[in-house]
Amino acid sequence: MTIRVGLCGTGTVGTGCIDIIQKHHDDFLSRYGIDLQLTRICSRSSEVAEAHGLGSLFTSDYREVVSADDVDLLIELFGGTGIAKDVITEALQNGKHVVTANKAVMASSGEEIAAFAHKNNLELGFGASVGGGIPIIGPLKHSLGANDITSIIGIVNGTTNYMLTRMEAGLSYDEALKEAQDNGFAEADPTADVDGFDAAAKIAILAAIGFNVKITIDQVHTEGIRRLSALDLSTAHDMGYAVKLLAITERSGEGVVARVHPAMIPLDHQLASVNGVYNAIYVTGDAVGEAMFFGEGAGAGPAASAVMGDVVDIARRLEKGAPALGGYTVPDNCPVVDISTLEMKYYLRFRVADRPGVLAKMATVFSEYGVSLQSVQQMGNKQRDDVNLVFITHSANEGKINDAIDEILSLDIVTGGAPSVIRVVD
Amino acid sequence: MTIRVGLCGTGTVGTGCIDIIQKHHDDFLSRYGIDLQLTRICSRSSEVAEAHGLGSLFTSDYREVVSADDVDLLIELFGGTGIAKDVITEALQNGKHVVTANKAVMASSGEEIAAFAHKNNLELGFGASVGGGIPIIGPLKHSLGANDITSIIGIVNGTTNYMLTRMEAGLSYDEALKEAQDNGFAEADPTADVDGFDAAAKIAILAAIGFNVKITIDQVHTEGIRRLSALDLSTAHDMGYAVKLLAITERSGEGVVARVHPAMIPLDHQLASVNGVYNAIYVTGDAVGEAMFFGEGAGAGPAASAVMGDVVDIARRLEKGAPALGGYTVPDNCPVVDISTLEMKYYLRFRVADRPGVLAKMATVFSEYGVSLQSVQQMGNKQRDDVNLVFITHSANEGKINDAIDEILSLDIVTGGAPSVIRVVD
């Protein structure tokens, strides 16, 4: 069966998709009976299409692709929240199946897009929106489909994981960022990565699929890594922890919580050894127990693997004449609740005046807010007249922690401004 | 849509399946519109059925289940190579869809069973046959379906991985085996695990799915862990390696090779930190690069998660009226070739007489067979008049290695019999 594919976007991932279609066309035909044909290529420049001998398929107007009679399936790789959503929705309105790698669109409008596709018996693939080439959306929807998922913890942003790996080796935040930029792992404007927004979009998608609930990126509590220092990472390491930017979603009696923030995890946790630009997603379910999915979270090959995995999978179902399976299933009437409902352990590093009575004052404030302390120690080098004091609390409510911090900051003992705060995941 | 399920086998996994069906019936109904109903339960004893309030469904005769009008889908959990294959084939002949966890049957007759199911538009699920609850068959068939897989390396036997983890901590082989048996991780007769046959069945299935070729368990070169000692594990660790029982399949120009044997892998390889009864499968593909799947490889919950994941997935397709997707696709006319075609590095530990000239004699033999040495060192404690000599070779052909070993054994210098041989995977 011939499946005609329109491609929107010819960046690294789009180029990777063209490469796979050209290299493996005959494999798909012999294995699955699928004759995959590129019929339209849309981009700002015709360079990539021409380099692949496909200049005749080129158009710079996406409307030609979404309305073309000779397109059965559209691949959306423009990315971002600009015209990408229009491309996806117009393609669906015109009866095309859609595969997208667009986490921004899926994390904000995924459920409505999936519902429209489902209603019109169209397929919607978005496996590439999370974790690059790592198969995670498919396993959550299928192999793990008999589980009640209880939590998903991901290292889903390669840029920040690379930076934290380098900071653990002693680099400062600025040095690590520059190195990441020099190596092509970070953008010139690193905001989406270092402030956690990229990870937030991904955990919103994972929560929706894993928990069968409606959740969007604006419901994800999001903190980045800008305030972490190499000192925090080495201190954590000495205490037996790695520091990672974790994207976490959990389901409890009250509802679903999704959050992105730096976290300390024990060095013997499987996620602690996920270094550099690698990604990993750690899933806990009531039957499966614990399962982890690890691999390259970005790059042309891995992302194209995920996009084309969806394309081939959809093509196989079309070849069989199978009705669309639908994307999201969100019947579970489960509220999304705020992070303030959680109780966690905290690492708090304050830079304070080095004089008698300071620790006693701080401990008194914590005690007043009902925050009990597991340990406190002085870390790093003494500079002039102040020192670093590192507190590890027992499980405490985030609101109480913040109240205690505010009161401590109002005392005349803190010299270094707001403390470094890292949640501890045991 | 009501899907009527007949269950054959009520051991731990079967019990886990009954638990999932009872616990999640309403979830499956609300999420997918599937009304999953157990209609027959076959086992030697009615105990489990009765304990779940399902005594009226019990039969001790599998023929009643495979021929029952009120069974749409049969779950085969008898295991082994006895009547299990009859149960599967007779159920398919009677038009029932089948889900099985039976690695022995799938590794010997999987392709013929899948072909029969496919021809008759019946579904065949066998995700639980490899890796317990770890989703791996599904991802290989779907999310990674656009890749040419180049290699699959698995730690797929929890018993031996537990034993090796304990031996690395200093226990002898016999102590580790006894501890595994005491903890319920090893059978009274541990042959299938410690001699590598369980892993061989699993890698045959992974090779068939990953490479789209026909391969059966008898084509897997299989060695177990009986000849490993704690000394080998500590020596390897000092050299920067972990020792694991690896199941490996690779595709090269000449064909597919599948093998199970102890192997040294660098301590910083993601597989090296997979300890205890955990399993992991490391996949390399031309687009995805490297991806690893990690989780609990055995136990009632994980295995039932995989079985019921297949059941729910098939039920969803039936609910949509979708034709069967088929199990294996084996069009690739690629030969299965022998391990002797491979070149690998080897760790060889001989116990030899402690006298001048011994090393020179051995080095001369290696040199005569074209085996070049990367390192040689004396390890462990000297006992009476002999010592342990550990050689690491450069890449060499297995046949040449064996010839060199035979000749060394014929000299009057080896006091400890056949050497300990571990292949090195870099």
Side-chain angles (χ1 to χ4, degrees), chain B residues 90-166:
Chain B
E90 288 174 33
L92 290 169
Q93 282 159 2
N94 290 323
K96 322 285 184 213
H97 306 281
V98 170
V99 171
T100 178
N102 195 315
K103 57 187 171 283
V105 169
M106 291 309 294
S108 54
S109 312
E111 195 256 343
E112 108 199 30
I113 292 170
F116 182 85
H118 186 56
K119 207 177 75 180
N120 292 279
N121 193 28
L122 294 167
E123 300 274 8
L124 174 69
F126 51 95
S129 63
V130 180
I134 304 170
I136 179 63
I137 299 289
L140 278 177
K141 288 206 285 192
H142 299 289
S143 306
L144 298 174
N147 280 261
D148 252 9
I149 304 296
T150 46
S151 74
I152 302 172
I153 305 181
I155 295 172
V156 289
N157 181 269
T159 305
T160 48
N161 203 53
Y162 177 85
M163 289 173 62
L164 292 175
T165 301
R166 297 298 293 141

Side-chain angles (χ1 to χ4, degrees), chain A residues 101-108 110 126 129-130 137 140 152 199-211 213 215-217 220 328:
Chain A
N102 197 314
K103 57 187 172 284
V105 169
M106 291 309 295
S108 55
F126 50 96
S129 62
V130 181
I137 299 289
L140 278 177
I152 302 172
K202 292 167 178 169
I203 199 67
I205 296 169
L206 290 175
I209 301 304
F211 297 134
V213 297
I215 176 171
T216 53
I217 184 171
V220 180
Y328 286 34

Side-chain angles (χ1 to χ4, degrees), chain B residues 5-29:
Chain B
V5 175
L7 174 67
C8 287
T10 59
T12 54
V13 182
T15 304
C17 290
I18 298 175
D19 288 340
I20 290 177
I21 293 173
Q22 293 192 328
K23 180 176 173 194
H24 291 313
H25 173 272
D26 294 356
D27 295 327
F28 300 149
L29 191 60

Side-chain angles (χ1 to χ4, degrees), chain A residues 39-61:
Chain A
T39 50
R40 302 284 170 131
I41 297 175
C42 177
S43 187
R44 257 169 295 192
S45 147
S46 62
E47 200 178 325
V48 169
E50 278 163 9
H52 286 79
L54 301 170
S56 64
L57 310 182
F58 177 78
T59 173
S60 59
D61 182 1

Side-chain angles (χ1 to χ4, degrees), chain B residues 327-346:
Chain B
Y328 287 32
T329 57
V330 292
D332 289 13
N333 197 10
C334 181
V336 177
V337 293
D338 193 78
I339 190 174
S340 65
T341 61
L342 294 181
E343 300 243 319
M344 278 179 283
K345 289 169 67 174
Y346 290 79

Side-chain angles (χ1 to χ4, degrees), chain A residues 150-166:
Chain A
T150 47
S151 74
I152 302 172
I153 306 181
I155 295 172
V156 289
N157 181 269
T159 305
T160 48
N161 203 53
Y162 177 86
M163 288 173 62
L164 292 175
T165 300
R166 298 297 293 141

Side-chain angles (χ1 to χ4, degrees), chain B residues 56-68:
Chain B
S56 64
L57 310 183
F58 177 77
T59 172
S60 59
D61 182 2
Y62 83 84
R63 287 177 206 83
E64 276 189 34
V65 186
V66 298
S67 63

Side-chain angles (χ1 to χ4, degrees), chain A residues 20 23-24 27-28 30-32 118 133-148 210-212 251 270 273-275 278 282 286-296 300-306 308-310 312-313 316-317 320-327 329 331-332, chain B residues 20 23-24 27-28 30-32 118 133-148 210-212 251 270 273-275 278 282 286-296 300-306 308-310 312-313 316-317 320-327 329 331-332:
Chain A
I20 289 177
K23 181 177 173 192
H24 290 315
D27 296 328
F28 301 150
S30 68
R31 283 177 200 161
Y32 313 122
H118 186 57
I134 305 171
I136 180 63
I137 299 289
L140 278 177
K141 287 206 287 192
H142 300 288
S143 306
L144 297 174
N147 280 262
D148 252 10
F211 297 134
N212 300 289
R251 183 176 194 153
Q270 201 70 22
S273 60
V274 176
N275 290 320
Y278 282 94
Y282 199 89
D286 64 345
V288 74
E290 295 157 350
M292 190 179 86
F293 304 79
F294 166 92
E296 298 178 39
S305 166
M308 292 307 301
D310 277 345
V312 171
D313 213 30
R316 287 175 69 184
R317 291 206 288 274
K320 298 275 182 193
L325 268 184
T329 57
D332 289 14
Chain B
I20 290 177
K23 180 176 173 194
H24 291 313
D27 295 327
F28 300 149
S30 69
R31 284 177 200 161
Y32 313 122
H118 186 56
I134 304 170
I136 179 63
I137 299 289
L140 278 177
K141 288 206 285 192
H142 299 289
S143 306
L144 298 174
N147 280 261
D148 252 9
F211 298 133
N212 300 288
R251 184 177 194 152
Q270 201 71 21
S273 59
V274 176
N275 289 320
Y278 282 95
Y282 200 90
D286 64 346
V288 74
E290 295 157 350
M292 192 179 84
F293 304 80
F294 165 92
E296 297 178 38
S305 166
M308 292 306 301
D310 276 345
V312 170
D313 213 31
R316 288 175 69 184
R317 291 205 289 274
K320 298 276 183 193
L325 268 183
T329 57
D332 289 13

